[in-house]
Each structure stands twice: as C-alpha cells, then as structure tokens.
Amino acid sequence: MKKIMVTGALGQIGSELLMELGRFYGSDNVIATDIRLGAKEIAHSGPFEILDVTDGKRMAEIAAQYQVDTIIHLAALLSATGEEKPLFAWNLNMGGLVNALEVARERGCQFFTPSSIGAFGPSTPKVQTPQDTIQRPTTMYGVNKVAGELLCDYYFHKFGVDTRGVRFPGLISYVTPPGGGTTDYAVEIYYEAVKRGKYTCYIQKGTYMDMMYMPDALHAIITLMEADSYRLKHRNAFNVTAMSIAPEDVASAIARQMPAFKMDYQVDPVRQAIAESWPDSIDASAAKEEWGFKAEYDLDRITTDMLAKLQQRYCLPEAK
Ligand code: AKB
C-alpha cells in the first residue's frame, strides 16, 4: 500500500484529493501537509502536519516519520498572485518543488506535481495547442511551470525518480475556492449565481480558456500515478482538458438552469493579459493515448452539479 505525502493539502485540489486518496488507499496512508491549519483537514481523518515547503529539512523529517513512498506536491502560488509577488512566487514555487524532488530522490518516492496551461505563452500555437510545442510564457507562474516541467524531467533522467504530471486547465469545484488564479472566474460565477443571482466577470467576453471539473482532475491524477511506466513517453506535463470555454458560455449554461441569472463585465487588465497569453484550447491526445485520460463532465453537467451543491450549502431553493 502506498504512503502518500500531499503538500498544499488544504488548497483547491488538495482538499478534495485527500478524500479521494483516502477512499482509494486508506486515510491513514495519506499524510496531509499545509502551511496552516484550516477547517478542511477535519475532512481528512488521516495524519496532518504543518509544513512550509520551503523548509526542506522539515519536509524530509515528515517523509521519514511516516515512511512516505509517494509525494504529491501541490503547494504553489497561482498565476495572478504570482504577478503581484513574482519573487515570492519564484521562491515558493521553485524552492518548494526542488525540496520535494530532493526528498523523492533520497527516499526513492514516486512523484506527482501539476503543471498548467500557464506553461504556454503568446508565441505558442493558440488553438488545439500540441503536447510538444513552443513554451515561452510571459508570467512568473508560467516561468515556474516550465522550469518545473524541466526539473521533473531532469530528476527522472538523472536520478531515476518516477516523476509524473499534467498541465491542468482551470479547475471548477465547489469544495474549496481557488485563490489568485486567472481562471477563478469560472468558479466564482457559480458562487455569485447562487448567492446573488448575478456576476461581474473580470475576464472579457470571447476569451477562451480550457477548463475541467474537479472529479475529472482527481481521477486524472490517480490514473496517471497508477499507469504503467513503460507506456509513458511524456511523463511530466501531459495536456489535459474537458473543454474550451469563454465566460459567456458559463453564463449561458447557468441561465439555462437559473433563467434570472445576469452577468456583466468589469475587465481586470492584469488577469485579462494573462488569459490572452494562454491557449484558447489544448490538445489532450497524448494523455489519452499514453494513460487513457478521459474527462466525463461537460459544461452542462458541471453546471447542474455546481448549482445543486452550492444551493445545498447556502440553504437556498434548488435551481429549476
Ligand atoms: C490559474 O489560473 O493560475 C490556474 C491555472 C490555470 O494554472 N488555475
């Protein structure tokens, strides 16, 4: 049975991944770590340790204490916050990653960390962006993601660490809101629809980005980690996506279920510029071929689930 250490475990992905890993491998085998205590670790009945990922010594101690053989490294600053605090983003994103890779190397752990559509830039082909293509991102987050992809490749080739990873698109979920991302509008819109029946979008109409629902993202992580190594040609940065959408597509999907819902726009120039530097759509065929990636949720199915779950939480009547 695996012994899995998760960093950034109380974040948007981590808080749901803990539950999924617990179901799959047993909660006692999932060691959650985060820089802070939060309400979410209560949902995880297994071990929890406070960890600042820039502290490599403490990370190694926790890994040794629990005899960890798998590391899922999620702790990172997202794209918009990375532009506000670029040096902090570099130190946290790269420092945390290299510490986690070092622990994986020393202990012979399997290793997963997510890259992002943010690893692409304005000179990347914008439509159906191929798996292997130009990567010249213009954000600090993107620079970190490209360097991270290369570093994971390096640890595989140089030290034989079984590194794996995907390039996540924007992730839509109802458990823990994301923070500081460019794609966050696609989550906020559902919260605002349920709470206020309207939303002011910071991303301009007609701006396409890839998105995916959290259950598909969790399934992708576990499927890739369980995939036979010999099938993987790319290993570290598989394009994965469910759909390419613009804000008005999400608004229309919500309005189909909540006819009174209204959206207007107040564009944030920083996040708009980031969005415009990213692909409109990415090609996930390498992930499909090499380890059977498949997304189950389309926009209407996501919308039905998001509205129902948020309505339950905020005790409001069901959407019609
Ligand atoms: C962000 O918007 O920064 C993230 C991402 C696409 O990596 N959600």
Side-chain angles (χ1 to χ4, degrees), residues 12 77-80 115-118 141 145 168-171 178 180-184 209-210 274 278:
Q12 190 200 14
L77 230 56
L78 293 185
S79 55
S115 184
S116 158
I117 53 171
Y141 179 68
K145 288 302 181 190
F168 274 136
L171 296 180
T182 301
T183 57
D184 294 5
M209 287 183 278
D210 279 281
I274 297 174
W278 290 355

Side-chain angles (χ1 to χ4, degrees), residues 6-205:
V6 181
T7 71
L10 304 184
Q12 190 200 14
I13 301 176
S15 53
E16 290 190 60
L17 184 63
L18 287 184
M19 294 186 255
E20 194 67 10
L21 292 173
R23 271 194 286 275
F24 218 76
Y25 302 106
S27 300
D28 289 348
N29 296 316
V30 182
I31 295 88
T33 73
D34 205 294
I35 195 161
R36 69 202 154 89
L37 275 174
K40 286 294 177 300
E41 81 273 12
I42 294 160
H44 172 57
S45 55
F48 179 86
E49 297 285 344
I50 297 280
L51 172 66
D52 172 351
V53 291
T54 61
D55 183 349
K57 188 165 162 283
R58 180 72 190 125
M59 193 188 287
E61 280 167 8
I62 295 171
Q65 181 186 342
Y66 292 97
Q67 293 295 297
V68 161
D69 60 20
T70 305
I71 298 175
I72 300 185
H73 177 61
L74 302 175
L77 230 56
L78 293 185
S79 55
T81 316
E83 286 314 280
E84 274 167 33
K85 304 174 194 166
L87 190 60
F88 181 57
W90 175 268
N91 289 334
L92 176 69
N93 292 355
M94 300 316 299
L97 177 61
V98 83
N99 285 340
L101 281 166
E102 270 300 285
V103 175
R105 180 184 68 76
E106 282 160 8
R107 300 191 57 79
C109 295
Q110 196 188 28
F111 188 87
F112 175 92
T113 198
S115 184
S116 158
I117 53 171
F120 298 118
S123 52
T124 300
K126 229 175 159 42
V127 176
Q128 283 298 297
T129 300
Q131 175 66 41
D132 300 307
T133 187
I134 301 164
Q135 289 184 265
R136 305 288 294 175
T138 46
T139 61
M140 176 51 89
Y141 179 68
V143 170
N144 298 164
K145 288 302 181 190
V146 175
E149 291 180 7
L150 294 173
L151 200 57
C152 288
D153 283 349
Y154 181 81
Y155 269 71
F156 171 65
H157 290 297
K158 178 89 177 173
F159 303 120
V161 179
D162 182 4
T163 53
R164 303 181 183 203
V166 296
R167 291 184 187 126
F168 274 136
L171 296 180
I172 301 175
S173 63
Y174 59 85
V175 175
T176 304
T182 301
T183 57
D184 294 5
Y185 86 82
V187 177
E188 285 172 12
I189 190 171
Y190 289 103
Y191 279 79
E192 293 300 300
V194 167
K195 289 182 183 169
R196 280 177 264 285
K198 59 183 183 179
Y199 179 60
T200 299
C201 187
Y202 61 80
I203 292 291
Q204 191 134 48
K205 187 174 178 187

